[in-house]
Amino acid sequence: QVQLVESGGGFVQAGGSLRLACAASGFTDRSSYCMGWFRKAPDNEREGIAVINSDDAANYAETVKGRFTVSRDPSTSTLYLQMTRLKPEDTASYYCAASQKLCGQAFADAVYVASFAYRGRGTQVTVS
């Protein structure tokens, strides 16, 4: 069973940086999955923000493009989200997610990451 566990959230001042990590396990065929990040702020819908595949191709939502970078380390089965130039509107719970079925859609529009079948419990990021 796929399990995803996020870490690295916290408080940061506007303009600062933070790196999130997601420990992944339980994949039977890792290359058939794409992984990504979505976030949810209070009173807002879930927002897919980044996706990466096994070839390290990535796609981003316009709201984070140029500021956030998704990467992965296959040797440790860890997914990362490097966040820079953070803004107060980036405040949200951030979730790691994985999918076998929505990768194509997510590479056309990262919004689909919010609909991935597998997701972690999230880590809170607060930007003041």
Side-chain angles (χ1 to χ4, degrees), residues 81-104:
L81 184 69
Q82 179 69 48
M83 305 184 292
T84 65
R85 291 184 281 144
L86 282 160
K87 306 174 183 179
E89 51 263 45
D90 294 318
T91 295
S93 292
Y94 283 72
Y95 298 83
C96 173
S99 175
Q100 289 180 297
K101 298 183 178 181
L102 292 178
C103 297

Side-chain angles (χ1 to χ4, degrees), residues 61-124:
E62 288 298 324
T63 52
V64 306
K65 192 174 291 184
R67 298 188 299 124
F68 291 10
T69 303
V70 62
S71 63
R72 64 188 193 99
D73 183 349
S75 67
T76 60
S77 298
T78 304
L79 182 74
Y80 297 100
L81 184 69
Q82 179 69 48
M83 305 184 292
T84 65
R85 291 184 281 144
L86 282 160
K87 306 174 183 179
E89 51 263 45
D90 294 318
T91 295
S93 292
Y94 283 72
Y95 298 83
C96 173
S99 175
Q100 289 180 297
K101 298 183 178 181
L102 292 178
C103 297
Q105 292 92 324
F107 272 88
D109 189 340
V111 67
Y112 284 93
V113 178
S115 298
F116 279 10
Y118 304 101
R119 59 193 68 161
R121 296 194 173 196
T123 185
Q124 178 66 34

